[in-house]
Amino acid sequence: MTEPAGYPFPVGEVAVFQGDLFQARAAVGLWPYVELLPEPGRPAPADLAPREAADGSVGYPVPPERLEAWYTVQWTFRWHGELFECTAATATTLSGNYLGSDEHFAKEHLKRRGIRYRGVFPRHEVTELAEHREDLLQPLHALVRRLAEVDHFRPKAYAVHHGRTYPAAAEADASGLIALTTGHDRPEDLVADTRDLSGGHSLAAPEQLDAWYRIHWAFRWQDGPFQAVGTVDGMVKGVYTGGSWGFADNMQLTPETGPDGVHTRYTVTVDLDGVTDLEQHRTDLLTKQ
């Protein structure tokens, strides 16, 4: 086992890129990328472009599929039988935060920092030195796949024409026609949408369609109802659909101007594992014509 003094990063996040270990972090604003953080004086990772963060630090974003591993690493040890989390290491000492609950022991042997106790100990007095890792890469791959399967929880509209399903507009235009994304292989009985310069959209009358519908996702968070509108950095974003201003205030929901540019809506962005009753809903748009 490699000991903390000889380990590049005794605590924190570590990524393996092209066989080399780097300190790492999630790339804020560039999800799902991971940023590699080379130590001062160490060569930059090959084939990666640098990016400066808001705090002035420089990282090298890399897509997760190019990483061999990404995990958190933590070391624990015992001193006088009590458990500590390692925070720093030298060739002769280990520093650590106390994880036990013996207040008398802590006050007698350790220094207090905030609400925690810590100490610096000679290595020969330390026992049960152990490394602990938590994998971050495989859960990230699983989350990316989960989001892709539902197209990142964005509301979508579809139309079925002669048994084939196409992405479609959620509303008809002023003439009552519905825009379908058909690509350049346009069905013969549909007309081209001249407003689309790419030529990939066609127009259909409602009576030409087998079906036309909208799908969206709804969920509950803190027992409040929300409609999903997409994702942000791997978390689901939802608009509050309840009627309690007190709930919006107490849960510190984010006020945003709605799509109409006038009304305010309240949103939340939360981890998928923190929501309940996540369900897909389908609304028939043909019956509304």
Side-chain angles (χ1 to χ4, degrees):
M1 178 180 66
T2 303
E3 300 220 346
Y7 196 81
F9 321 106
V11 293
E13 297 179 20
V14 177
V16 182
F17 177 69
Q18 296 182 351
D20 292 328
L21 292 176
F22 293 90
Q23 190 174 5
R25 66 188 176 197
V28 176
L30 199 62
W31 190 90
Y33 277 60
V34 178
E35 275 186 330
L36 308 183
L37 306 170
E39 297 169 280
R42 183 179 178 186
D47 304 324
L48 299 181
R51 187 181 78 140
E52 185 175 351
D55 62 2
S57 62
V58 176
Y60 291 79
V62 57
E65 59 268 18
R66 294 191 63 188
L67 294 176
E68 291 114 78
W70 179 35
Y71 54 88
T72 59
V73 61
Q74 176 195 34
W75 292 79
T76 58
F77 60 85
R78 290 188 180 274
W79 182 74
H80 288 193
E82 295 290 336
L83 187 64
F84 289 81
E85 173 191 16
C86 181
T87 57
T90 70
T92 58
T93 64
L94 291 179
S95 302
N97 291 325
Y98 181 47
L99 299 179
S101 58
D102 189 331
E103 192 77 13
H104 176 74
F105 170 87
K107 290 180 178 179
E108 182 178 0
H109 298 287
L110 307 173
K111 294 182 178 180
R112 186 164 186 169
R113 177 177 292 176
I115 61 172
R116 307 190 71 175
Y117 289 93
R118 65 180 300 275
V120 181
F121 315 102
R123 274 183 168 268
H124 68 272
E125 296 181 4
V126 167
T127 62
E128 298 183 38
L129 181 62
E131 180 190 20
H132 310 273
R133 295 185 181 184
E134 179 183 352
D135 182 28
L136 299 176
L137 190 57
Q138 294 308 313
L140 178 60
H141 285 317
L143 178 57
V144 170
R145 288 193 299 268
R146 183 179 177 188
L147 294 180
E149 289 173 357
V150 294
D151 198 14
H152 290 215
F153 293 101
R154 289 185 291 267
K156 290 282 187 177
Y158 297 93
V160 181
H161 177 261
H162 292 176
R164 184 173 176 181
T165 302
Y166 300 95
E171 295 181 356
D173 64 15
S175 61
L177 298 178
I178 302 156
L180 278 58
T181 303
T182 56
H184 294 284
D185 185 19
R186 185 175 69 252
E188 293 182 356
D189 58 338
L190 299 184
V191 298
D193 186 351
T194 56
R195 298 164 298 184
D196 174 40
L197 298 180
S198 70
H201 287 177
S202 303
L203 296 175
E207 57 270 18
Q208 291 179 284
L209 299 178
D210 306 324
W212 179 35
Y213 57 91
R214 178 182 181 271
I215 61 170
H216 73 274
W217 292 79
F219 63 87
R220 299 189 74 84
W221 176 74
Q222 298 296 328
D223 206 33
F226 292 83
Q227 179 171 309
V229 293
T231 61
V232 178
D233 289 341
M235 297 186 289
V236 62
K237 179 178 180 179
V239 174
Y240 178 55
T241 56
S244 170
W245 185 90
F247 177 89
D249 184 55
N250 291 336
M251 295 301 164
Q252 298 183 337
L253 303 185
T254 302
E256 296 181 3
T257 301
D260 61 6
V262 177
H263 295 90
T264 298
R265 65 182 189 177
Y266 292 89
T267 67
V268 68
T269 302
V270 292
D271 190 276
L272 278 173
D273 292 336
V275 307
T276 61
D277 303 313
L278 182 61
E279 295 181 347
Q280 185 187 87
H281 299 266
R282 174 170 167 165
T283 302
D284 185 1
L285 299 177
L286 276 180
T287 59
K288 296 184 177 183
Q289 293 300 300

